[in-house]
Amino acid sequence: MSTTWVNWGRSAVAHPSAVLRPSSTEEVVELVREAAAVGRRVKAVGSGHSFTSIAATDGVMVEMTRMTRVLHADAATGRVRVEGGLPLRELNRLLDALGLALPNLGDIDHQTITGAVSTGTHGTGGRLHGISKAVVGVRLVTGTGEVLDLAEGDDLFGAARVSLGALGVVTEVVLQCVPAFLLHAREEPMALDAVWEGLDDLVDGNDHFELYWWPHTRRTSTKRNNRVPAGTEPRPVSRARHLLEDEVLSNGAFGAICRVGTAKPSWVPAINRLNARALSAREFTDRSHEVFCSPRRVRFREMEYAVPREAVRDVVEELAAFVDRSGLTVSFPVEIRFTAADDVWMSTGHERDNAYVAVHQYVQRPFAGYFAGAEDIFTAYEGRPHWGKIHTRDAAYLGKQYARFDDFLAARDRLDPERTFANAYLDRVLGP
Ligand SMILES: Cc1cc2nc3c(=O)[nH]c(=O)nc-3n(C[C@H](O)[C@H](O)[C@H](O)COP(=O)(O)OP(=O)(O)OC[C@H]3O[C@@H](n4cnc5c(N)ncnc54)[C@H](O)[C@@H]3O)c2cc1C
């Protein structure tokens, strides 16, 4: 009897024929071999935080909830080996206790380490990279049930970091961490034109710079996070202010605003103008993961594309013009982040300095028209879609965006010759 699986964004549904929860690499080998022997498909799933159907399957769904241990940690070298199902939230706390941290993180910490790495999850930082760059080794159970340990220097390692769940079940990950650090956060509203004028200084002059542009306005909310010298006293946001600003304003009130915008779309531009001013300037200093990650309680759908960094202004201005002429109303701000080029084959950052432009729509509102218009703009600038966020690209398009695409396909042929890990999403983005 099949069960129903739904992702966080309510944009992907699956009916796996079975759900298994292995507790060791040996159990994963056994289940992969058994499934492959009868031609059943297998799909490991993380926390279901991808908006695409990348984790969906009608075969055997492998939940990694019993493989969440830290297996080895060396505080001196910063190398840490963990099981593939460990949620980032727990990983961050465990690393902190060891005096370590990941060099960069995204907005939330609900994903599992392998789920996050497999789709190229990233934060922001013009000199920094996505989470996959911190991965220095993986243990993988391939489609034939073979256990492979891949590390830097191995042929297939470039494929195994951002692997889209296509090469096998990752049972262990080795991370190169950095010493734990504090971030000083400065958040303030800025005019969009002022951001464009000072963009290079903002991106290059801060460790982590990002902005949220409010559609229907020329206003943004900006965030600058910078490392502070060891020994600096943390000055976190007080509990009362956290409750007011992060829970009530950012989540509670924003949820209410989205509901009002759904009932009265014509009010959205005025609400956005208010919102852009309501989130006032603030500064605080806290542990890196506390600053990077915050709760997202308002459910939404998202599309995000990486575009060449130098194109970001044109892309966002075209998006603004499209929103204005389309008659669409959009409550969610557009998030804009930056990363440096990396060497991970299927990373959106592969050999390119990027800006990321992310469009969101409240879960109760239609998103197709908005996202289609945005995607036309992103793809005109050689955009690379986030593998875990809504997009319509196929292998023909993606093959042109990634210099190592054919090498990745060859790795897939070698590691999963019978396509035990395939699903409809992978058929589209990689081919059968
Ligand atoms: C509210 C929200 C905020 C987000 N913020 C950001 C952000 O700031 N930056 C960003 O880049 N992205 C962000 N994302 C996207 C998210 O980080 C990615 O979609 C990520 O892949 C989700 O991880 P997960 O653990 O939920 O994995 P899932 O979505 O469950 O799975 C993702 C992929 O990983 C594979 N996988 C999972 N575990 C294994 C395993 N053990 N072995 C092999 N394959 C495996 C799955 O098969 C699938 O292919 C956000 C998403 C949401 C919903």
Side-chain angles (χ1 to χ4, degrees), residues 25 115 198 216 223 299 336 358 421-422:
T25 298
H216 316 292
K223 287 189 184 186
R299 228 171 266 265
I336 301 157
F421 304 113

Side-chain angles (χ1 to χ4, degrees), residues 300-327:
F300 56 84
R301 271 71 177 263
E302 182 175 348
M303 164 183 282
E304 183 180 54
Y305 267 72
V307 295
R309 180 174 150 178
E310 58 279 8
V312 66
R313 181 177 184 162
D314 291 342
V315 168
V316 174
E317 290 296 345
E318 281 191 35
L319 187 62
F322 160 69
V323 170
D324 285 346
R325 71 171 180 271
S326 67

Side-chain angles (χ1 to χ4, degrees), residues 340-410:
D342 65 39
D343 59 353
V344 181
W345 296 2
M346 297 297 267
S347 160
T348 43
H350 187 247
E351 293 183 348
R352 189 169 86 185
D353 288 349
N354 275 325
Y356 290 85
V357 183
V359 293
H360 307 68
Q361 186 59 288
Y362 182 46
V363 72
Q364 285 175 22
R365 298 200 58 199
F367 63 85
Y370 177 32
F371 287 11
E375 192 170 37
D376 284 345
I377 298 166
F378 299 149
T379 52
Y381 287 89
E382 303 196 316
R384 296 172 180 169
H386 189 304
W387 298 106
K389 300 187 185 179
I390 293 166
H391 70 92
T392 67
R393 298 299 92 188
D394 61 12
Y397 175 90
L398 294 160
K400 295 194 192 104
Q401 300 306 322
Y402 288 93
R404 306 298 299 267
F405 194 80
D406 288 344
D407 295 325
F408 186 83
L409 296 187

